[in-house]
Amino acid sequence: SGVFKHLSPVVKKRLLLVGRRIQFAPGVALNSVGDSCQGLSFILGGRVKVEWMDALSWVPIATLTPGDVLGAMEWAEGQVWEERITAETEALVLFIPTAVLNPLSATYPDLQRQVERYTERHTLHALLGSNALFQGIGDESLMQLIEIATLRYLDPGVILYNPRMVISHLFVIGRGEVELLCSDRVVQVLGRGELANLELALGDGLNLITARVLQPAPLYVLPFDQ
C-alpha cells in the first residue's frame, strides 16, 4: 500500500535490508519538534497522528497508516520538524537514516521521486480536507484535484500576484507565510493550509492586493478552470 505500491521490488527489498525497524507504543512521540530530520520513516504497521501548532494549540492534520512516509519534505528540503508526530496505536516504523538514504537514492532515483510525489499528494489531501471550502467535496473528486496540482517552492520576497496580474490559479500554502499588502500596507499574513487568492480566482471584483512570500513557502497550485 501507499508509497510501496509504486516502488520496484528491487528497491523495496533493499529498503527492508538496510532499514532499522522501530516499535512505538501508543502515545509515544516519533520525532522532536525543532530538531532536524535525520532520514525517512516508512510506516509498516499501526496508525500515526500528525499535528500542527496553530495560534492556540496543536491541531490534528493527518492520520498516517502503513505505506505512508514520515519526513520526506523535511529531508528533501533540509528542514527541521514543525509537525508533532505521535503513535495513535502501537506502530512499527522502518527508519532509513540519511547516511544510508543518500547513496540509496543515487542508485535508485525512482525512490526519491516516488517518495516526494506521494508525500506531496498526501500533504495536499490533508490541507484541503481540513479546509471548509473542500469539505463538501467527495473523496474521489478531491483526489482528482490533487492529481492536477503542482508544487512550487518560492523564496522570501517573491511576488505571488499583484493588481496588474491576471489570476488563473488557486494557491494553497503548504508551509511558510505569505503576506497580503494593499498600498504597501500589510493587511493579512497567511500560513499553512490557507488559500492565498480564492476571491481573486473567483473573479469577485477588482484586485487591489499584492501577495508577497514572507518565509520560504511551498505552494500547491490548482488551475482554477479545473
Side-chain angles (χ1 to χ4, degrees):
S1 66
V3 71
F4 295 108
K5 185 163 53 180
H6 305 285
L7 295 175
S8 69
V10 173
V11 175
K12 281 187 276 195
K13 183 177 181 181
R14 190 67 186 150
L15 285 174
L16 290 169
L17 286 172
V18 301
R20 179 162 56 97
R21 291 167 176 79
I22 307 173
Q23 194 85 30
F24 293 92
V28 172
L30 278 69
N31 71 334
S32 296
V33 176
D35 285 358
S36 59
C37 180
Q38 301 298 318
L40 295 183
S41 296
F42 298 83
I43 300 175
L44 300 181
R47 291 197 314 274
V48 172
K49 178 173 62 175
V50 182
E51 297 172 292
W52 174 262
M53 174 62 78
D54 69 2
L56 299 175
S57 62
W58 289 100
V59 177
I61 59 171
T63 298
L64 306 182
T65 54
D68 288 333
V69 187
L70 296 172
M73 299 292 280
E74 288 80 5
W75 174 70
E77 299 171 18
Q79 299 285 337
V80 300
W81 287 106
E82 295 182 1
E83 293 89 359
R84 184 172 71 176
I85 302 169
T86 311
E88 255 190 4
T89 66
E90 189 169 295
L92 178 62
V93 168
L94 184 74
F95 177 66
I96 318 288
T98 298
V100 174
L101 199 56
N102 286 342
L104 196 62
S105 295
T107 306
Y108 305 107
D110 66 314
L111 171 60
Q112 184 165 344
R113 284 196 300 268
Q114 293 291 352
V115 167
E116 289 178 350
R117 181 57 183 151
Y118 181 80
T119 303
E120 287 170 16
R121 291 197 299 264
H122 197 287
T123 301
L124 183 54
H125 188 278
L127 293 176
L128 295 185
S130 62
N131 191 291
L133 177 67
F134 296 96
Q135 286 178 357
I137 297 177
D139 202 55
E140 185 177 342
S141 297
L142 196 58
M143 289 307 298
Q144 289 175 1
L145 278 179
I146 290 167
E147 288 301 324
I148 64 171
T150 56
L151 181 62
R152 293 173 58 191
Y153 292 90
L154 300 181
D155 294 324
V158 169
I159 300 299
L160 190 57
Y161 58 84
N162 61 35
R164 296 182 299 278
M165 296 170 63
V166 176
I167 305 299
S168 58
H169 294 78
L170 187 66
F171 301 108
V172 184
I173 301 172
R175 68 172 69 217
E177 292 183 338
V178 172
E179 59 180 0
L180 305 183
L181 304 99
C182 184
S183 301
D184 295 326
R185 180 175 60 88
V186 177
V187 294
Q188 192 175 2
V189 175
L190 304 176
R192 180 187 175 96
E194 294 189 274
L195 309 178
N197 61 327
L198 176 60
E199 294 81 4
L200 304 182
L202 288 170
D204 291 353
L206 181 67
N207 175 36
L208 301 175
I209 298 295
T210 295
R212 182 170 61 197
V213 177
L214 195 58
Q215 295 179 0
L219 298 177
Y220 294 92
V221 181
L222 294 163
F224 196 71
D225 60 356
Q226 298 185 50

